[in-house]
Amino acid sequence: MAEPSGAGDSIPLECPGLDTAAGEEFLQEVFQILLEEGVRKSTDVTQKVCEWKEPQELRDLLDLELRSDGEGRERLLQRCRDVLRFSVRTGHPRFFNQLFSGLDHHALAGRFLTETLNTSPYTYEVAPVLVLMEEQVLAKLRELVGWSSGDGIFAPGGSMSNMLAMNVARFRRFPESRSRGNWDLPRLGLFASQESHYSILKGAALLGIGTDNVHLVRTDERGKMIPEELEKEIQRVKAEHPPIPPDPSLIPPRARSPSLCVPRVAPLSWAPSTRWTPSPTSVPATGCGCMWTADSVTWNPHKLLMVGLQCSAFLLRDSSGLLQRCHGVGASYLFQRDKFYDVSLDTGDKSPQCGRRADGLKLWILWKAVGTRGLAQRVERAFAASRYLLEQVKRREGFQLVMEPEFINLCFWFIPPSLRGQENSPQFWDKLGKVAPAIKEKMIRRGSMMVGYQPQGSHVNFFRQIITNPAVTRQDLDFFLDEIQELGWDL
């Protein structure tokens, strides 16, 4: 007697369910669009940085509704063009809004390879090439930090790397926290600079430490934690909430503001990247020396090294298998101990993730393409461009530094003619705080460039300009200041 037929019996299985020939033809056309619209125009200084549209207008233009039936090839290709046309061109030489500006063709090729392979480097068997690449890249990064041994893993961004550091620090001090949670632990306290990266508070919430137990320590005028204030705060909290474990591993040492200068350890953004420079006199040493004594470092090559999002390495000095002990659970369907190869290469259990992007590949490709010297030259160029811009800001009327920069983070105000000479007026700073947002709106609507602004402590909104893109020229920097001056002249 025949078995009852199921709903799937009407679907023929003799042939593949994908039209691979049509798919390849579609991909070829998409690659042409990517090359022309996403690469060439994105990096062309004569093009706009963005084609600004209000949200509802953009919704209507994109036709975002998802329907029962699919669309034809030409319509899909136009969709691809629209995505590129109405997105911000972060590879543009006049995009200064975030730390991931610029486009490197070799790193982009690595990203294409990663997406095409579509695998996770949690085991050697499914990602043999990528696992070995990650091992080599992490070892080389540790070497540049100054560690001859250690451990590490790539994480989805610097914030997650910082949270990994917090979790590992808690585990090292209280191994029972892994099985029992925080219930059997003394009340934990985490001490950080009042200017530290916001991922510290997020991490405290995520890990169950609690944001009320993050104690922010006063900083000096440059955003550096004051060591004496740290000691006072530790003693104050211990007196109010005994027992607070006096564990230095839960203290991000002298973390600086990510807005005013380079943070020292916990939220390191680009300070490690300055280790590429071959000339110790060309890069200030302040802010990097901590890496020689730190237990862990977060390094984001997708910033100053322009590898492309995302590429964040969490590096550990410890070589005892701390990451594995902290996060590993030995899932039997992935991490079998009786495999036919060296199972120490199955490194995925060191991460709280399961599926994980092979973020080391694009850095490896870029490093192979330009070498350590080439990467060092990029860092040198970033500092040279920042020095040039600093000189111009000091020379130009109406521009005022928030403070002297130590690295490549230039923070300044533009004072319109209508406010000049009113510095002693009670309304001056309130009015000045509205200038940067007004100028930014004008530049984005014009599409001429992008730059970030923000308040910080007692400082009202100021522009925060960071140069990481080696395609930026002196003409771009002159244009940057000219544009701010023009847009803010009549405010």
Side-chain angles (χ1 to χ4, degrees):
M1 179 180 292
E3 294 291 333
S5 62
D9 290 349
S10 61
I11 300 177
L13 300 178
E14 290 78 10
C15 299
L18 292 174
D19 187 340
T20 55
E24 289 178 9
E25 182 181 353
F26 176 73
L27 276 178
Q28 287 178 349
E29 295 185 78
V30 169
F31 287 146
Q32 287 301 314
I33 294 171
L34 284 173
L35 184 59
E36 182 60 34
E37 301 286 339
V39 176
R40 290 174 182 157
K41 287 186 178 179
S42 178
T43 57
D44 185 351
V45 74
T46 66
Q47 299 289 319
K48 288 185 176 182
V49 173
C50 70
E51 188 72 46
W52 177 258
K53 302 292 180 185
E54 294 298 330
Q56 190 54 51
E57 182 184 8
L58 189 55
R59 290 188 186 101
D60 294 339
L61 283 168
L62 295 176
D63 181 21
L64 298 171
E65 180 67 25
L66 300 173
R67 300 178 177 86
S68 298
D69 295 325
E71 297 179 337
R73 183 174 59 86
E74 288 302 324
R75 192 72 187 91
L76 288 175
L77 291 173
Q78 185 57 47
R79 300 281 191 203
C80 295
R81 293 187 188 94
D82 289 343
V83 168
L84 294 168
R85 176 186 173 190
F86 296 115
S87 293
V88 176
R89 290 170 168 152
T90 62
H92 197 285
R94 292 172 184 173
F95 175 83
F96 304 105
N97 208 69
Q98 259 74 40
L99 298 173
F100 51 76
S101 64
L103 185 150
D104 180 272
H105 300 82
H106 298 102
L108 181 59
R111 292 151 76 182
F112 287 155
L113 287 170
T114 299
E115 294 303 312
T116 304
L117 290 171
N118 189 38
T119 191
S120 174
Y122 44 35
T123 63
Y124 180 80
E125 66 183 273
V126 297
V129 174
L130 303 179
V131 164
L132 296 181
M133 281 183 178
E134 181 172 274
E135 178 185 62
Q136 175 62 28
V137 170
L138 290 170
K140 195 67 176 181
L141 292 177
R142 288 194 303 269
E143 178 185 320
L144 288 169
V145 169
W147 302 339
S148 59
S149 61
D151 203 352
I153 200 82
F154 278 95
S159 289
M160 288 306 300
S161 290
N162 289 341
M163 294 179 200
L164 286 180
M166 294 166 66
N167 194 39
V168 169
R170 179 179 59 180
F171 174 79
R172 188 175 70 173
R173 179 64 176 82
F174 296 104
E176 65 271 26
S177 65
R178 173 187 160 101
S179 56
R180 300 178 186 175
N182 290 333
W183 294 101
D184 290 339
L185 303 185
R187 183 170 179 173
L188 300 181
L190 195 151
F191 298 82
S193 157
Q194 66 182 12
E195 308 292 355
S196 60
H197 196 264
Y198 69 92
S199 60
I200 302 302
L201 288 169
K202 283 192 172 187
L206 181 67
L207 297 173
I209 295 172
T211 56
D212 287 350
N213 295 313
V214 177
H215 307 286
L216 302 179
V217 181
R218 284 180 54 204
T219 60
D220 61 19
E221 68 282 355
R222 303 196 63 82
K224 301 177 186 178
M225 182 188 287
I226 303 171
E228 294 77 13
E229 293 297 324
L230 170 60
E231 182 60 34
K232 289 180 184 177
E233 186 66 9
I234 291 174
Q235 296 306 321
R236 182 191 70 78
V237 175
K238 286 176 68 175
E240 290 183 5
H241 305 290
I244 292 288
D247 181 18
S249 67
L250 292 180
I251 303 173
R254 289 214 300 165
R256 298 185 185 173
S257 162
S259 304
L260 298 180
C261 47
V262 178
R264 191 167 181 229
V265 172
L268 276 169
S269 296
W270 56 80
S273 298
T274 61
R275 303 304 301 182
W276 296 98
T277 179
S279 172
T281 60
S282 62
V283 177
T286 305
C288 292
C290 63
M291 292 186 295
W292 298 96
T293 56
D295 292 315
S296 65
V297 167
T298 291
W299 190 336
N300 294 338
H302 64 236
K303 294 180 180 177
L304 182 55
L305 297 184
M306 214 176 65
V307 175
L309 288 168
Q310 61 196 27
C311 189
S312 177
F314 172 58
L315 307 177
L316 268 178
R317 181 197 294 268
D318 181 275
S319 57
S320 68
L322 191 59
L323 271 174
Q324 179 72 31
R325 298 199 309 277
C326 181
H327 298 128
V329 294
S332 60
Y333 72 98
L334 283 176
F335 306 112
Q336 303 93 338
R337 307 307 298 173
D338 55 356
K339 292 182 178 179
F340 63 92
Y341 60 83
D342 180 3
V343 294
S344 68
L345 294 171
D346 289 355
T347 57
D349 221 14
K350 296 194 295 186
S351 169
Q353 296 173 258
C354 182
R356 193 163 56 87
R357 290 172 58 91
D359 291 325
L361 170 56
K362 49 184 175 271
L363 176 54
W364 184 87
I365 288 281
L366 172 60
W367 207 327
K368 281 289 190 179
V370 303
T372 305
R373 289 191 180 91
L375 293 172
Q377 288 169 3
R378 291 189 179 186
V379 176
E380 294 279 5
R381 184 182 177 92
F383 278 90
S386 296
R387 287 192 295 269
Y388 174 78
L389 191 64
L390 174 62
E391 293 169 1
Q392 297 305 308
V393 166
K394 288 182 175 180
R395 291 176 183 174
R396 293 201 181 206
E397 185 179 6
F399 289 85
Q400 180 179 325
L401 287 173
V402 176
M403 65 175 59
E404 286 282 341
E406 288 184 352
F407 282 84
I408 57 174
N409 205 347
L410 190 64
C411 301
F412 65 90
W413 293 288
F414 175 71
I415 305 174
S418 62
L419 292 181
R420 295 173 195 173
Q422 300 183 30
E423 285 78 3
N424 295 324
S425 167
Q427 294 80 31
F428 173 79
W429 290 106
D430 180 60
K431 292 179 179 178
L432 183 60
K434 299 175 182 178
V435 170
I439 293 177
K440 178 159 185 175
E441 179 181 354
K442 288 184 175 183
M443 74 173 66
I444 289 180
R445 291 189 180 280
R446 181 183 285 189
S448 57
M449 63 182 192
M450 269 198 190
V451 65
Y453 75 83
Q454 67 176 83
Q456 184 76 31
S458 61
H459 300 303
V460 300
N461 284 323
F462 54 84
F463 287 111
R464 178 188 175 209
Q465 211 274 14
I466 303 168
I467 304 165
T468 60
N469 184 357
V472 171
T473 65
R474 182 178 299 179
Q475 289 75 23
D476 296 317
L477 299 176
D478 291 338
F479 175 89
F480 170 77
L481 297 179
D482 291 342
E483 186 76 349
I484 287 179
Q485 195 166 23
E486 178 186 336
L487 297 175
W489 189 260
D490 58 354
L491 292 177

